[in-house]
Amino acid sequence: MTGKRLSEYQRQVLIKLLQIQKLSNHDIAWVLEVDERTIRRRRYQFLETGKLAETPDVSKNAEKLKAENLEKLQQWLQDGHEDALLGDMQAFLKQECGLDVSIPTISRQLKKASGTHRKNGRFKRMRAKKLREAADGQMPSSEDHGSEDVENSADVDQFSLNRGFLGFDSSALPPRDRQASLVIPFHPILSPFILHQSSLPSDRHQLRYELDLNSWNLRIWGVAASGFLTDSYNLFATNVILATISFVYFPNQRWCGLVINIFTLSVCGQLLFGYLADRYGRTRLYGIELVLVIVSTIGVATSNTGYGDMSFLALFTWWRFVMGVGIGAEYPLSAVITSEWSSTSSRATMLSSVFLMQPVGQALAQLVGVWVLLGEDAANQIQEKQCGINSLHEEKCRKIVDGIWRIVIGTGAIPALLAIIFRFFLFDCGLYTLEVKNKPGIAFRNTQRVYGTPAAAAAAANGVSLTSLPGYPQQPMPVQFSLEDMTRYFRTDKNWLYLLGTAMTWFFLDVSFYGFSLDNRGTLADLWATTTRLEINSSLPCWNSTLPGGRSLVQDWTNQLPTWQTDGTKPCNTIYDTLLEQSKQYLLTVSIASIAGSACFIFAANRIQRRQWLTSSFIILTALFLITGGVYYGVAQTKAAPATVVLVAICHFMFNFGANTLTFIIPAEIFPTCYRCTCHGISAAAGKIGSIVAVLVVYGINSGYHNLKKQGLVFLLFASFMAFGAIFSWAYLPDVQRSVDDGPGRRRRLETKNLEELGEGREKARQEGELITIRDKWAEMRRKGWRGRTRLGSNAGTS
């Protein structure tokens, strides 16, 4: 139904629905099966007057059925004709009373006289009529009077009849109507008066409706977040373990840490698992990446030097590479599974809640490192042994410190073991099963297993499969990864521009983010320094050993500090002091600010325009890096140095409040289901390439640029990367939300687009007025500018 008039029953239900604030005009129009503009007008009226106006009676035949005729009709119905149809009544009135009255008039007058619908339903009366006709009954057929009047009759109003499991017995329906009654959407709020569409909805429509009935799901979040926490812990544990590994195995070789980081940041996991998840299913791969992480964690923790011919660095790097594959695979799998299992309204909060585990994992790695360090100090007195600056207990110190990093890295397997149990019992989301595998029955069944039993339970209760219904409308599914389909989607429709946008924004973001978050021990020590570096000479209090029988190792540092000692202002710090200081600096500068930023984004996810905020956050970060670089040049290695630390913390807050979280979320939203994991994996791989670039840039500046304030150059350089990120996010990414007007006097609100709509790609966005590419947006800006100048000139000429 798309007309403007509503039945009395519809009006009463509409009043109830309008009192539910979170229901949009679109939702109510879908339920009542009317045009959205009709609901908008009724909402305005309801907000202004608190009620809906009565529907005027405009029928030309309203006066033809007089009181005495109506009484005669009612008496005839009571005399054994309760199962008569409206067409039968029309024939009776014409034969007995000489009246030519329309069927809607008869229906309306009967309802006014009785105050309600007749107790017997239309389909029961039709069934009785057929039985009577089979027994040679002589009642005239309503079909002789045209089906149009019957369909327009209020007595056979589809709205009141097709309520499925809310009222009538579907077994009495004809086959076609019984099929329609089996797929009735159920809403926990609207269940007393929810309706079914007059025509059977598509599988995608029905599945989307069932998903959107739900909100934030703890089960899905727990499965995805636990794995993401594990991977973040293992990745950023590098900041904890590199100092201890350097202390034990290569105290004078700076390039070893660079090799470990580059192999850990491999792109194989994102690309391989992203493709495989689209090809074979999300859950078929979900859990395998955690197996890789667990196995590699054990391998890393047990790495050792073989007798004479095995390098510790080679073995350690190999296992970190395997771990990097598992960590990389987590990005597309966790993001896409969370996105596809979420309702449209909760999608952003679910994804950002999962991403919150990244800063939590960073902080957890530092806290575990501190906990293990304090425990080892209490058991073995590391600080008293002056490990790192005195040779008296050198060998024992190496064994103690070697145990510290193994415990820290091995602890990362514990949450992975817990998470993997639940992952192998997770089902593929219905969207993937429906759109890629083309198995609607399994799609609905899996959705019910996770979210309960909504509408499709009616079909299951009657032993009917949604896929077996004759005439059920099926939408053509793409031939996944076929040359024809990929050419159409990426080349013909130019959706490769979306992929360019997500990949490049993630690349530019990670250049700056990992430059300050991964292996940044030396950077943080330099930022916190309030004095200049001390020269290594006999004036140092640790130049000579204070332990009887020992020898100070500081005398061997005349050229440069060892790799584990990153603070040139405190060369007398032992390995214990250094590890404790590094953890404190990281937690205060990076972790706390990052967690706060992610938490704030969860709150604001549906309150801000996410694509526009991504561009804005890149611009803000550009300005912050420029300011931080300028401030650093002015206050570095002075008592005002904490000002730079505060600005860096603000940068990390903005990272997670904006670009860092959004580059993870948007690729999981804007691509179609058949390529969603692949495209997210490509985007994440581009980010990892950016992180490798960041590690190389920071290493190159620290090694080849010997200016005392060289970190200022890093800030200014990373600001340019943020500016490029703003350009790509502005030009190549679509809006994932739309602005909706709910009525006069009310603020416009943001409505999130569903995955199916976003997956239609660039052409759908263009139909809604969005412009993708720099050329199109620049042309639009020039056109608007020309209009403004023309308008200004015309106003000047008029004046």
Side-chain angles (χ1 to χ4, degrees):
M1 176 180 176
T2 59
K4 298 178 181 180
R5 299 189 58 182
L6 301 176
S7 69
E8 182 61 27
Y9 187 79
Q10 284 175 303
R11 291 180 65 257
Q12 296 302 320
V13 173
L14 178 58
I15 293 174
K16 298 286 187 182
L17 298 181
L18 290 175
Q19 296 174 18
I20 304 175
Q21 297 294 327
K22 65 181 180 180
L23 289 179
S24 66
N25 294 337
H26 178 76
D27 298 331
I28 298 176
W30 189 91
V31 171
L32 295 180
E33 298 176 320
V34 298
D35 189 85
E36 189 172 344
R37 293 171 297 179
T38 301
I39 302 302
R40 187 181 301 115
R41 286 192 294 270
R42 299 301 192 278
R43 187 187 288 273
Y44 290 162
Q45 185 184 94
F46 186 77
L47 291 174
E48 291 176 356
T49 64
K51 61 181 181 179
L52 297 180
E54 296 291 336
T55 303
D57 188 352
V58 296
S59 173
K60 295 181 180 179
N61 298 318
E63 293 80 20
K64 288 186 177 181
L65 188 59
K66 298 180 180 180
E68 57 269 21
N69 304 130
L70 186 60
E71 291 178 5
K72 193 171 183 179
L73 175 62
Q74 289 178 314
Q75 185 63 41
W76 178 75
L77 290 172
Q78 293 173 5
D79 293 341
H81 300 96
E82 294 87 353
D83 56 355
L85 299 180
L86 289 168
D88 303 333
M89 300 178 207
Q90 187 183 45
F92 169 80
L93 290 171
K94 186 174 183 179
Q95 180 179 350
E96 300 294 333
C97 304
L99 296 177
D100 188 8
V101 187
S102 68
I103 285 179
T105 299
I106 298 172
S107 173
R108 182 167 56 254
Q109 297 291 356
L110 279 176
K111 284 194 292 183
K112 286 182 179 180
S114 60
T116 181
H117 294 278
R118 286 182 293 161
K119 293 181 180 180
N120 287 338
R122 171 178 180 263
F123 295 110
K124 287 187 178 180
R125 295 196 299 275
M126 290 182 65
R127 186 181 183 188
K129 175 176 175 287
K130 289 181 179 180
L131 292 175
R132 189 173 65 248
E133 289 176 348
D136 297 325
Q138 299 301 316
M139 289 300 297
S141 172
S142 63
E143 295 176 0
D144 296 337
H145 304 280
S147 61
E148 182 177 354
D149 287 338
V150 175
E151 291 177 358
N152 292 331
S153 170
D155 189 44
V156 293
D157 181 46
Q158 292 294 324
F159 176 81
S160 59
L161 292 174
N162 289 345
R163 283 180 283 166
F165 58 87
L166 300 179
F168 70 92
D169 181 13
S170 64
S171 63
L173 305 183
R176 182 177 179 181
D177 294 313
R178 186 185 308 126
Q179 294 162 16
S181 71
L182 296 179
V183 280
I184 302 164
F186 178 80
H187 196 293
I189 299 175
L190 307 178
S191 57
F193 33 76
I194 194 119
L195 315 167
H196 177 57
Q197 292 178 305
S198 57
S199 61
L200 196 63
S202 68
D203 290 338
R204 295 178 81 193
H205 191 143
Q206 179 71 19
L207 183 61
R208 170 50 54 194
Y209 190 89
E210 294 192 9
L211 287 173
D212 285 351
L213 293 181
N214 303 279
S215 58
W216 202 84
N217 187 278
L218 181 61
R219 176 182 177 183
I220 300 300
W221 176 83
V223 171
S226 58
F228 210 72
L229 173 68
T230 299
D231 291 346
S232 176
Y233 177 95
N234 284 287
L235 176 61
F236 291 98
T238 301
N239 298 315
V240 181
I241 66 176
L242 276 183
T244 55
I245 292 174
S246 298
F247 177 84
V248 177
Y249 295 100
F250 33 84
N252 299 312
Q253 296 173 322
R254 299 185 180 276
W255 58 269
C256 296
L258 175 66
V259 172
I260 292 172
N261 282 329
I262 289 178
F263 276 90
T264 303
L265 297 170
S266 65
V267 301
C268 299
Q270 293 93 325
L271 297 175
L272 178 62
F273 278 77
Y275 166 76
L276 293 177
D278 278 339
R279 171 67 77 180
Y280 299 107
R282 284 55 162 132
T283 54
R284 188 172 293 186
L285 278 297
Y286 210 36
I288 294 179
E289 86 286 359
L290 277 184
V291 172
L292 290 177
V293 171
I294 293 171
V295 172
S296 60
T297 298
I298 297 173
V300 169
T302 57
S303 297
N304 212 330
T305 303
Y307 181 74
D309 60 352
M310 184 175 290
S311 166
F312 165 83
L313 180 61
L315 186 60
F316 184 90
T317 302
W318 161 251
W319 285 120
R320 287 292 289 182
F321 170 78
V322 176
M323 181 182 291
V325 173
I327 291 173
E330 188 71 28
Y331 281 84
L333 287 172
S334 288
V336 170
I337 288 175
T338 303
S339 176
E340 292 178 348
W341 271 116
S342 304
S343 64
T344 302
S345 60
S346 66
R347 189 175 68 231
T349 53
M350 285 273 287
L351 283 166
S352 54
S353 298
V354 170
F355 194 77
L356 172 64
M357 295 300 103
Q358 185 186 77
V360 170
Q362 292 176 339
L364 189 61
Q366 297 292 333
L367 292 173
V368 171
V370 171
W371 173 70
V372 175
L373 179 64
L374 294 177
E376 289 290 347
D377 182 58
N380 298 295
Q381 294 78 43
I382 305 176
Q383 194 172 18
E384 293 181 6
K385 290 182 172 62
Q386 297 184 8
C387 293
I389 62 173
N390 200 296
S391 64
L392 182 61
H393 304 285
E394 186 174 7
E395 192 63 28
K396 189 172 184 180
C397 284
R398 291 181 183 276
K399 291 182 179 180
I400 296 172
V401 174
D402 190 54
I404 291 175
W405 72 263
R406 294 180 189 274
I407 296 173
V408 171
I409 204 70
T411 304
I414 296 176
L417 288 170
L418 297 176
I420 199 172
I421 297 174
F422 299 100
R423 292 202 171 182
F424 285 121
F425 294 97
L426 186 67
F427 306 104
D428 264 330
C429 179
L431 289 178
Y432 177 83
T433 307
L434 172 65
E435 297 188 12
V436 179
K437 298 303 181 184
N438 199 13
K439 298 178 180 178
I442 298 176
F444 282 94
R445 185 166 63 250
N446 289 346
T447 303
Q448 295 165 30
R449 288 175 177 175
V450 173
Y451 283 121
T453 309
N462 288 274
V464 180
S465 170
L466 291 170
T467 57
S468 65
L469 299 177
Y472 198 89
Q474 298 290 340
Q475 294 188 349
M477 300 299 172
V479 181
Q480 189 187 30
F481 292 110
S482 67
L483 181 60
E484 179 183 358
D485 189 66
M486 293 182 68
T487 302
R488 179 197 61 78
Y489 179 77
F490 288 105
R491 183 176 177 180
T492 306
D493 295 345
K494 296 185 177 180
N495 289 302
W496 65 270
L497 294 170
Y498 281 7
L499 186 57
L500 176 67
T502 57
M504 295 308 296
T505 51
W506 208 329
F507 170 84
F508 289 120
L509 180 279
D510 274 6
V511 170
S512 300
F513 177 74
Y514 280 90
F516 285 104
S517 301
L518 191 66
D519 194 20
N520 58 357
R521 298 166 294 130
T523 302
L524 289 177
D526 185 75
L527 296 177
W528 280 72
T530 56
T531 61
T532 58
R533 289 173 172 265
L534 298 179
E535 293 186 8
I536 309 299
N537 53 40
S538 57
S539 63
L540 295 175
C542 56
W543 183 259
N544 295 310
S545 174
T546 57
L547 297 178
R551 182 181 69 86
S552 175
L553 298 175
V554 179
Q555 297 179 14
D556 301 332
W557 300 350
T558 53
N559 294 326
Q560 61 180 1
L561 294 174
T563 54
W564 60 268
Q565 176 62 276
T566 53
D567 192 351
T569 65
K570 300 176 181 178
C572 289
N573 279 356
T574 64
I575 184 64
Y576 173 87
D577 298 324
T578 299
L579 293 175
L580 208 59
E581 190 75 10
Q582 288 175 0
S583 296
K584 181 193 75 173
Q585 292 172 353
Y586 194 95
L587 288 170
L588 294 178
T589 309
V590 180
S591 296
I592 294 177
S594 297
I595 292 174
S598 290
C600 289
F601 183 86
I602 294 173
F603 175 78
N606 289 320
R607 294 174 172 84
I608 57 178
Q609 294 184 340
R610 294 197 286 275
R611 201 274 302 168
Q612 289 84 341
W613 178 238
L614 175 59
T615 303
S616 300
S617 62
F618 271 121
I619 295 173
I620 293 171
L621 283 167
T622 302
L624 281 174
F625 276 123
L626 291 174
I627 294 171
T628 305
V631 171
Y632 175 84
Y633 275 116
V635 303
Q637 300 176 2
T638 67
K639 292 183 178 180
T644 310
V645 176
V646 172
L647 287 171
V648 172
I650 294 174
C651 288
H652 281 285
F653 175 87
M654 278 305 305
F655 269 129
N656 282 45
F657 184 51
N660 193 30
T661 304
L662 285 168
T663 51
F664 175 80
I665 292 176
I666 292 179
E669 296 182 298
I670 65 175
F671 297 105
T673 304
C674 57
Y675 301 124
R676 189 170 290 128
C677 252
T678 300
C679 293
H680 195 286
I682 293 173
S683 304
K688 283 297 175 284
I689 294 174
S691 64
I692 294 173
V693 171
V695 171
L696 292 172
V697 168
V698 172
Y699 179 82
I701 292 176
N702 289 334
S703 301
Y705 189 52
H706 301 293
N707 190 289
L708 294 178
K709 296 184 178 181
K710 56 189 175 184
Q711 295 302 328
L713 177 61
V714 176
F715 287 114
L716 300 178
L717 184 61
F718 285 170
S720 64
F721 285 101
M722 294 294 94
F724 281 113
I727 294 173
F728 277 89
S729 64
W730 167 73
Y732 295 104
L733 295 180
D735 290 324
V736 296
Q737 297 152 294
R738 63 168 63 87
S739 183
V740 177
D741 185 7
D742 281 338
R746 301 186 66 180
R747 296 180 60 184
R748 296 179 68 87
R749 64 180 178 84
L750 288 174
E751 181 181 77
T752 303
K753 300 177 183 178
N754 61 44
L755 293 178
E756 294 84 352
E757 182 178 358
L758 290 169
E760 293 182 33
R762 180 170 174 265
E763 286 304 313
K764 175 69 173 179
R766 288 173 65 89
Q767 292 173 11
E768 295 184 354
E770 294 186 50
L771 299 174
I772 307 297
T773 72
I774 296 177
R775 178 187 299 176
D776 290 348
K777 293 204 171 188
W778 178 253
E780 178 68 10
M781 290 173 62
R782 293 186 62 183
R783 185 177 61 84
K784 288 183 177 180
W786 174 258
R787 281 184 178 180
R789 289 193 299 270
T790 304
R791 190 180 301 112
L792 182 61
S794 62
N795 291 339
T798 303
S799 61

